[in-house]
Amino acid sequence: MLLIILGAVGAAIALVLVIAATRPKTSRLERGTSIAAPAAIVQALIDDFHQWAQWSPWEKLDPAMTRTHSGAERGVGAIYAWDGNRKAGAGQMEILEVTDGRRVAIKLSFVRPFPASNLTEFTLRDAGGTTEVTWVMTGPSPFIARVMGVFINFDKLVGKDFEAGLAKLKAIAEAAPAQGTAS
């Protein structure tokens, strides 16, 4: 009986490993929204890490989280690092590229809960009175992440955070023109 149980467990583990091996070696997460505000207002909320506290879905995970801003004040070379509890983790973002009114590219590096490096891009497209915003994160998917992906749908899990962040970004940007500022 013990051999049958061990054989079943071994077969289940082998099946999970085979499924994981067939998964893509890179990951891509994408969400978008339409914002009734000019691209310049939306971009000002994205390419200035000081503004992220207003709309980032992760800022409230740890009220005691340590935040550090360095490098440029905003735009290319701006760096934002955080160190928080188990939920917030620790890591750093650095703005690599800004194309006015069209794109912001950010290198995202996690230290905790697990090391990872991704590219995050915000693309902005003028759509006649609105700005179409697309938030994309791409990066390598190591084997352990692919194994975890057999059990956890990261697109749905992290996608909810992207959707919440975009909804807050939308609300803030759409309120800004009446005030004449993006802050």
Side-chain angles (χ1 to χ4, degrees):
M1 184 60 143
L2 181 60
L3 287 177
I4 293 172
I5 292 171
L6 289 175
V9 168
I13 291 171
L15 180 62
V16 167
L17 295 176
V18 167
I19 291 170
T22 65
R23 303 246 174 176
K25 292 183 180 179
T26 59
S27 63
R28 178 180 174 88
L29 176 66
E30 179 177 331
R31 294 294 189 274
T33 193
S34 180
I35 299 177
I41 296 227
V42 178
Q43 181 177 320
L45 292 164
I46 297 169
D47 74 359
D48 180 355
F49 287 135
H50 298 92
Q51 301 297 324
W52 282 52
Q54 298 181 73
W55 63 269
S56 171
W58 301 289
E59 283 293 322
K60 307 258 188 281
L61 290 177
D62 178 5
M65 184 165 56
T66 323
R67 297 164 181 85
T68 307
H69 296 270
S70 61
E73 186 66 23
R74 68 176 309 143
V76 175
I79 298 171
Y80 170 74
W82 73 95
D83 190 355
N85 62 17
R86 188 178 58 82
K87 288 183 181 178
Q92 175 178 296
M93 295 188 290
E94 179 180 358
I95 298 179
L96 302 176
E97 181 182 337
V98 175
T99 306
D100 282 345
R102 296 196 332 244
R103 181 172 181 258
V104 177
I106 301 168
K107 179 182 178 185
L108 172 61
S109 303
F110 293 99
V111 177
R112 283 192 340 264
F114 51 86
S117 184
N118 295 292
L119 178 64
T120 302
E121 295 179 87
F122 291 86
T123 55
L124 312 171
R125 187 176 62 78
D126 181 18
T130 64
T131 302
E132 297 295 324
V133 179
T134 305
W135 187 358
V136 176
M137 182 172 68
T138 56
S141 185
F143 189 71
I144 189 68
R146 290 183 277 150
V147 169
M148 291 171 35
V150 172
F151 304 101
I152 300 168
N153 185 329
F154 289 110
D155 185 79
K156 286 185 181 177
L157 184 69
V158 180
K160 287 189 277 188
D161 291 337
F162 274 38
E163 291 162 9
L166 286 170
K168 286 181 184 178
L169 181 67
K170 176 182 174 78
I172 293 164
E174 288 179 350
Q179 301 168 353
T181 180
S183 320

